[in-house]
Amino acid sequence: MERINDTIKKMTGSQSFQKQYEQLKNEVLSDPAVRVFLEKHKDEISPSALEKNLMKLYEFKSQSHNCEDCPNLNGCINVMQGFEPSLVWRRGGIDIDYHQCPRKIRDDEKRKNEKHVQSIYVPKDILEAKFENIELDNRSRLDAVKAAKQFVDKYESKEKVKGLYICGSFGVGKSYLLGAIANELADKHINSLIVYFPEFVREMKQSLNDHSMNGKLEVVKNAQILMIDDIGAETMSSWMRDDILGTILQYRMLEGLPTFFTSNFDYKNLQHHLTYSQRGEEEELKAARVMERIKYLTVPVEMKGTNRRR
């Protein structure tokens, strides 16, 4: 029986094998990321070291980088799902380190937040919301989409930019626009947190019983981009307005964290809503303080049109 070493020598010496090997080698060495790495370490990587580590380079090249070749996190093609490779020169050889990809980071952040706040709210109809699907059938809707796109562009380019206060009557698409902004940001690997405010109010009241209020409050306060949906639809208590909402807005104002709102009320009518507590008490000064924070954080945008929920 022929020894296995002799068989391997015959295979590696054959013309077909050499042709395939050279083709693979050229393919690997023409990869832009591989070329950058080799140029960086050109004084350390000898021709023999390059030949020895070619398969490591091939392993690196054949995987997805920055989620380019993966349709989603579950469809990740990499050796370690949710982790992308980077080349390193270590102890005289080429090695591969793996670190979390943008989608994995986003997914972990979402799961962490959801453990604390159940009212993180993305309705089914806005899960796939896109700017291009918004009907631009009147000037106000066109202006609203334009303002939303400008926010995304400016935020991505690291400009300091205010969030939007999107107001309008029932069913004109305020929440859908919020979802379109969130999805556009997600495509650029930017985290946002949508909180349905009436449900958040109910949840914060319940958290007094199980002592989970501080954890929930920290999640919302520190969100990279916070979107408060349907403010004004809740029954507001003085405690919720001053100690919860006021605290969130004060923190985000001081830290310069973008904050969005949707509401059936404009600024003036929201202030009127905040003025009267659940007990019917009139507290104009306290309502005015909260409104000043909202105005500081946002640019008002009105959406008009027919009720699309009918």
Side-chain angles (χ1 to χ4, degrees), residues 6-210:
D6 295 334
T7 302
I8 292 173
K9 286 180 181 178
K10 286 181 180 180
M11 289 174 61
T12 55
S14 68
Q15 289 185 350
S16 61
F17 180 87
Q18 285 298 324
K19 184 178 179 180
Q20 291 176 2
Y21 179 81
E22 289 300 323
Q23 184 178 349
L24 181 145
K25 181 178 177 180
N26 291 333
E27 184 182 323
V28 169
L29 297 183
S30 65
D31 182 82
V34 171
R35 291 173 66 179
V36 168
F37 173 79
L38 294 177
E39 177 63 25
K40 181 180 178 180
H41 297 280
K42 62 183 179 181
D43 296 332
E44 301 164 289
I45 303 176
S46 64
S48 60
L50 180 60
E51 292 289 338
K52 182 179 178 182
N53 290 277
L54 187 63
M55 293 312 295
K56 278 287 182 184
L57 295 176
Y58 178 75
E59 179 185 338
F60 169 80
K61 181 199 173 300
S62 63
Q63 298 187 72
S64 177
H65 307 96
N66 293 315
C67 305
E68 291 174 351
D69 301 319
C70 300
N72 49 53
L73 184 58
N74 290 331
C76 179
I77 65 171
N78 288 353
V79 173
M80 297 174 63
Q81 191 177 72
F83 290 79
E84 58 187 9
S86 62
L87 291 168
V88 292
W89 178 254
R90 182 183 292 132
R91 294 190 293 274
I94 297 173
D95 207 350
I96 296 177
D97 284 347
Y98 286 88
H99 52 89
Q100 290 184 323
C101 71
R103 282 199 180 106
K104 173 69 172 170
I105 293 170
R106 234 175 27 248
D107 186 72
D108 286 352
E109 183 71 16
K110 180 184 175 185
R111 291 176 186 276
K112 182 184 77 175
N113 289 343
E114 286 175 345
K115 288 180 181 177
H116 293 285
V117 183
Q118 280 70 53
S119 55
I120 293 173
Y121 177 73
V122 184
K124 290 181 180 179
D125 62 334
I126 70 169
L127 281 173
E128 302 298 328
K130 297 291 181 183
F131 286 135
E132 55 266 29
N133 295 333
I134 298 175
E135 295 180 25
L136 305 177
D137 52 2
N138 64 57
R139 183 70 194 184
S140 71
R141 296 174 69 79
L142 179 63
D143 289 343
V145 172
K146 183 179 178 181
K149 287 183 175 180
Q150 285 178 344
F151 171 86
V152 173
D153 292 340
K154 287 183 179 180
Y155 187 82
E156 187 184 18
S157 62
K158 309 300 182 184
E159 289 185 48
K160 187 175 181 180
V161 57
K162 289 186 176 184
L164 304 178
Y165 182 90
I166 307 166
C167 63
S169 56
F170 291 102
V172 296
K174 302 183 298 295
S175 296
Y176 191 92
L177 179 58
L178 211 61
I181 298 168
N183 288 329
E184 188 76 10
L185 291 167
D187 288 342
K188 300 176 186 300
H189 311 307
I190 299 169
N191 293 320
S192 60
L193 181 68
I194 301 178
V195 175
Y196 180 57
F197 197 64
E199 180 65 17
F200 179 69
V201 169
R202 184 195 63 78
E203 188 175 345
M204 291 304 290
K205 290 177 181 176
Q206 289 183 344
S207 70
L208 290 171
N209 298 323
D210 59 18

Side-chain angles (χ1 to χ4, degrees), residues 234-239 241 272-284 287:
E234 75 296 330
T235 301
M236 183 70 76
S237 66
S238 298
W239 170 76
R241 180 195 60 209
H272 182 269
H273 170 75
L274 295 174
T275 297
Y276 295 92
S277 70
Q278 199 171 19
R279 297 178 179 178
E281 298 165 326
E282 186 176 346
E283 299 174 313
E284 291 185 10

Side-chain angles (χ1 to χ4, degrees), residues 293-307:
R293 293 166 186 164
I294 292 175
K295 290 176 181 177
Y296 180 89
L297 288 164
T298 61
V299 174
V301 173
E302 185 178 13
M303 288 184 74
K304 298 179 180 178
T306 57
N307 188 339

